[in-house]
């Protein structure tokens, strides 16, 4: 970890997106304002997908007295989308002008069960090779839980904020529903020592953003403000997203693997493990 941090510092945070970097590319000032404005909007939407709460939880809750601690790593595939222009918004925004094809986001998360099949949780993470990160909170309620063979059904609402970027304020509200079930597994017949929990999720992300650079850069890039209730601002960017995955639990230890796809932005893949009590 120390070696990684030292290497990152020497490279001047090569994946740190900056609106100021978008005004020129390859040493030439970009004069196509419509192209820059479209690149900025795409960058905001894709960064919102990366920052948003990851839908990696099974439909079941931890129970009234339960709690959980977990770590996971998310890969956001920034080069997975076919683009109209040869230059992606990430290439325009990063100092090297040659962005990596993915972001990696190591994250620590926790959640706590509450009465009436509800729970709250949150996470904090670092966006690799940048000075930026994310912090999120959410609440969940199980509408149906534990009535086999009926699948479990859980609703979630949450918010995640992008932190550490001096040129862009960004936050994402997520609202979604998760459908899943639990299956006992064991090492021998009649002796179940674990659970397998597949799940699927549909969520709507609403990305709010505001540039915090000087007026010259805002006008050159065409950097709009996406925020509800603010004069001269555009509505938040709505992004439908589907996700699916599974959790395997043995005793107090669990392992998760999940993927998501937002057809207007980017796919993600997340793997992690933790402890549930």
């Amino acid at each position: 970890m120390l070696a990684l941090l030292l290497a990152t510092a020497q490279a001047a945070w090569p994946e740190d997106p900056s609106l100021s970097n978008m005004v020129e590319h390859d040493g030439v000032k970009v004069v196509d304002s419509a192209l820059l404005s479209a690149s900025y909007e795409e960058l905001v939407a894709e960064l919102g997908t990366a920052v948003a709460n990851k839908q990696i939880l099974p439909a079941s809750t931890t129970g009234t007295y339960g709690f959980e601690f977990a770590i996971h790593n998310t890969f956001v595939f920034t080069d997975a989308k076919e683009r109209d222009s040869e230059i992606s918004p990430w290439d325009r925004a990063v100092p090297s002008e040659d962005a990596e094809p993915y972001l990696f986001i190591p994250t620590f998360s926790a959640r706590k069960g509450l009465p009436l099949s509800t729970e709250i949780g949150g996470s904090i993470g670092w966006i690799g090779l940048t000075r930026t990160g994310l912090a999120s909170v959410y609440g969940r309620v199980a509408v149906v839980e534990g009535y086999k063979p009926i699948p479990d059904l859980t609703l979630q609402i949450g918010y995640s904020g992008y932190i550490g970027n001096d040129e862009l304020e960004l936050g994402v509200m997520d609202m979604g529903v998760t459908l899943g079930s639990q299956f006992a597994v064991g090492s021998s017949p009649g002796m179940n020592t674990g659970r397998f929990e597949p799940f699927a999720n549909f969520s709507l992300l609403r990305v709010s953003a505001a540039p915090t650079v000087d007026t010259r850069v805002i006008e050159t890039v065409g950097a709009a403000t996406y925020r509800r209730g603010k004069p001269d601002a555009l509505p938040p960017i709505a992004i439908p997203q589907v996700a699916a995955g599974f959790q395997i639990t043995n005793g107090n230890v669990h392992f998760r693997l999940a993927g998501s796809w937002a057809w207007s932005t980017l796919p993600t893949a997340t793997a992690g493990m933790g402890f549930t009590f």
Side-chain angles (χ1 to χ4, degrees):
M1 179 63 74
L2 179 59
L4 176 62
L5 292 175
L6 289 175
T8 300
Q10 292 174 355
W13 308 103
E15 299 303 308
D16 227 352
S18 166
L19 302 187
S20 300
N21 290 332
M22 300 181 73
V23 300
E24 67 174 47
H25 190 80
D26 201 18
V28 179
K29 183 177 180 180
V30 183
V31 295
D32 190 337
S33 57
L35 176 63
L36 280 182
S37 180
S39 291
Y40 165 77
E41 181 179 359
E42 187 175 352
L43 178 68
V44 167
E46 294 183 0
L47 189 56
T49 303
V51 169
N53 274 308
K54 304 302 178 288
Q55 305 303 326
I56 60 172
L57 298 178
S60 62
T61 63
T62 56
T64 301
Y65 302 105
F67 59 92
E68 171 191 291
F69 299 103
I71 55 173
H72 57 267
N73 191 31
T74 297
F75 289 92
V76 182
F77 301 101
T78 58
D79 204 30
K81 181 180 178 182
E82 294 186 8
R83 307 180 189 277
D84 295 331
S85 66
E86 295 181 358
I87 305 173
S88 79
W90 297 93
D91 286 341
R92 293 188 184 278
V94 301
S96 67
E97 299 185 351
D98 184 19
E100 294 292 333
Y102 60 87
L103 301 174
F104 65 94
I105 310 176
T107 306
F108 171 79
S109 64
R111 61 174 172 152
K112 176 68 179 73
L114 299 172
L116 303 178
S117 294
T118 61
E119 60 185 14
I120 57 173
S123 62
I124 185 166
W126 172 55
I127 300 177
L129 303 183
T130 76
R131 294 170 296 178
T132 64
L134 59 91
S136 70
V137 294
Y138 61 84
R140 305 175 82 223
V141 56
V143 180
V144 179
E145 183 177 19
Y147 293 95
K148 301 276 291 182
I150 301 174
D152 297 336
L153 180 68
T154 303
L155 306 179
Q156 174 175 317
I157 183 169
Y159 181 84
S160 184
Y162 182 48
I163 55 179
N165 193 315
D166 297 332
E167 299 189 353
L168 182 66
E169 294 179 354
L170 184 143
V172 187
M173 175 171 284
D174 63 278
M175 297 168 286
V177 56
T178 301
L179 186 70
S181 191
Q182 300 185 38
F183 301 95
V185 294
S187 57
S188 60
M191 185 179 295
N192 297 318
T193 59
R195 299 191 310 275
F196 174 69
E197 298 180 69
F199 60 88
N201 172 276
F202 175 80
S203 295
L204 179 65
L205 311 180
R206 294 181 62 85
V207 183
S208 300
T212 55
V213 289
D214 62 68
T215 304
R216 178 188 62 84
V217 174
I218 292 176
E219 292 176 349
T220 302
V221 176
T225 296
Y226 301 95
R227 185 165 293 169
R228 183 187 297 275
K230 187 172 183 179
D232 301 323
L234 298 176
I237 301 174
I239 303 174
Q241 178 179 263
V242 293
F246 63 86
Q247 173 175 295
I248 298 175
T249 304
N250 187 4
N252 297 116
V253 181
H254 68 258
F255 170 79
R256 292 187 186 124
L257 183 65
S260 71
W261 180 55
W263 46 90
S264 59
T265 56
L266 301 171
T268 71
T270 303
M273 64 175 296
F275 301 90
T276 305
F277 301 94

